[in-house]
Each structure stands twice: as structure tokens, then as C-alpha cells.
Amino acid sequence: MNIIFNLLNTLLHYLFNLTGDLGIAIVLLTVTVRIVLLPVSIKQKTSIVQQHILSKKISGIKEKYKNNKKKLESEMQKYYRQSTKSMLGCFVSLLQLPIISSLYFVIIKVPVNVGTIIIPWIASIKTPDKYFIIPLIYALISLSPNLLSYIKYLKTVEWVKMTKSNLIFIIIFSIFITIKAPVAIGLYFITTSLFSLFEEIGYRLYMKDKPLN
């Protein structure tokens, strides 16, 4: 963990010296980390889609062979093996946690107390945004990936529609974790959410004509 922290801390200082703006350096560092983790993230998305498809197939098998216990058990064994393999892909995402958490702490412990051209209305990225613009932007961006499935062209598999309660929860949670947080952390969250949004759009476009079996 210390190795990852030191590496990211060194990279942040390098980007700060290169750009002369700590806000831009944080954005570039966050994007760099997310690009490095992109293969893991794609693997996770594919595994989730496969789990969804397998779940539907298993439900169909149970209905089809509900009166033939022997055949049902035989077919279920095949699908459970596939299900186990796709679940392993979801666990791969746990590899991201040490890197993402280290990045978070690197940004929290930034020693420089300066502003950034990205957010001209604040004097220091180590203070919260008193105008609450950053929390509101983060809340809106956090909602975006959940709305992609409402766009017919980007719909890949059947999805559970987002309820009003889920919508409200995302908004409240997003504002809650950023309203008192330093602007530097808000930049990190916004950059991460934007990257996730474009990653999701790219993934859906790529997989659109590549159905998973």
C-alpha cells in the first residue's frame, strides 16, 4: 500500500511541476490511474453482463425442466460452472481498491494550499466549495451512467429501471460526501465519474453488436 501511495504521490508532484496547476494535476493523475485500471474495469463490466444473461437462462431452464428433476440438475450444473467463471471476473475489480484508496489519500494529503484555474471561484483546493457548485456537478454526473439505458441505441441488455428513491439516494449521497470535502476531493470524484460515464458509453457501443452467450 505504501508503495502505491508513494508512486502516486511522486506522480502528482511531477504533474504539478509540469502543469503549474494542482487542480489540473489531480485531474491528470486520476485519468492516468483510471486508464491503467481500464482492462480490469472492462473485465468487471463483461462479467456483470454475463451474470445477468446466465441468470435469465437459469430461470428459463428451471421453468422448462420443472417436471424433469434429473434433466434439470444436469442442465443446471452446466450453467452454474459458467456462472462461477463469470463471477471470478467481478472479484477482479477488488484489485482496484488499493490503488483507488491510495489515490484518494494522496489527494487528501496534498501539502500545497493553492487554487486552480479549473475552479476559479475558490482560493484553495483544500477548502470546501462554499457555493456548493462542486457537489451539485458531482451529483448530476453521478446520475448520468444510470440514465444511459434509457437511450435505446445504448441499451445492451434488459435493465431494472431506476426508481425515484434510487434517484434521490444518489443525489443526496453525492452531495453528502462532497459538500464538506476539500475541492481537491470533489475534483477527484467528478473526474472519476466523468471517466466512468465515457467508459460506459464506449463499452456499450463496442459491445452493441457483440452479444454475449
Side-chain angles (χ1 to χ4, degrees):
M1 196 76 166
N2 286 334
I3 295 175
I4 298 173
F5 178 88
N6 292 334
L7 179 62
L8 292 176
N9 194 44
T10 300
L11 183 54
L12 178 62
H13 282 79
Y14 170 77
L15 290 171
F16 177 48
N17 292 330
L18 189 67
T19 62
D21 187 297
L22 194 53
I24 294 175
I26 289 172
V27 170
L28 291 176
L29 178 62
T30 306
V31 170
T32 300
V33 171
R34 289 304 303 266
I35 289 174
V36 170
L37 294 174
L38 191 56
V40 176
S41 183
I42 296 299
K43 177 67 175 175
Q44 179 189 16
K45 290 179 187 298
T46 303
S47 296
I48 291 172
V49 173
Q50 288 175 334
Q51 279 293 113
H52 180 85
I53 293 172
L54 282 172
S55 154
K56 290 180 65 179
K57 286 183 177 179
I58 287 172
S59 296
I61 290 295
K62 285 181 178 178
E63 178 63 27
K64 184 177 180 180
Y65 298 109
K66 60 183 178 181
N67 297 321
N68 188 337
K69 189 175 180 181
K70 187 175 180 180
K71 181 66 174 176
L72 175 61
E73 289 179 354
S74 172
E75 292 296 318
M76 289 293 285
Q77 285 299 320
K78 297 177 185 176
Y79 284 109
Y80 280 139
R81 281 195 291 271
Q82 293 181 50
S83 180
T84 302
K85 289 179 182 178
S86 61
M87 284 181 67
L88 289 175
C90 295
F91 290 131
V92 172
S93 63
L94 295 175
L95 295 174
Q96 300 181 66
L97 296 181
I99 300 175
I100 296 297
S101 60
S102 293
L103 176 59
Y104 178 86
F105 287 114
V106 163
I107 293 171
I108 278 185
K109 296 180 180 180
V110 167
V112 185
N113 193 20
V114 294
T116 172
I117 193 174
I118 299 176
I119 312 172
W121 62 89
I122 58 101
S124 170
I125 64 171
K126 298 191 75 174
T127 60
D129 181 1
K130 63 181 180 180
Y131 298 110
F132 310 120
I133 297 174
I134 294 296
L136 289 174
I137 291 174
Y138 177 55
L140 291 174
I141 294 173
S142 296
L143 285 175
S144 302
N146 297 284
L147 302 176
L148 290 179
S149 291
Y150 288 89
I151 302 173
K152 188 175 181 180
Y153 188 74
L154 294 175
K155 183 180 174 183
T156 51
V157 294
E158 290 184 12
W159 82 105
V160 178
K161 289 186 177 180
M162 186 170 55
T163 63
K164 287 184 179 179
S165 59
N166 287 338
L167 181 72
I168 294 170
F169 173 78
I170 290 173
I171 293 173
I172 293 175
F173 181 76
S174 300
I175 293 176
F176 176 77
I177 63 174
T178 52
I179 197 166
K180 292 294 184 181
V183 168
I185 296 302
L187 270 178
Y188 159 72
F189 282 132
I190 289 173
T191 304
T192 296
S193 294
L194 275 174
F195 190 96
S196 297
L197 173 62
F198 288 117
E199 178 188 314
E200 182 67 22
I201 292 173
Y203 178 78
R204 289 183 182 224
L205 290 174
Y206 176 74
M207 295 302 295
K208 186 169 181 61
D209 298 318
K210 294 179 172 55
L212 296 170
N213 297 316

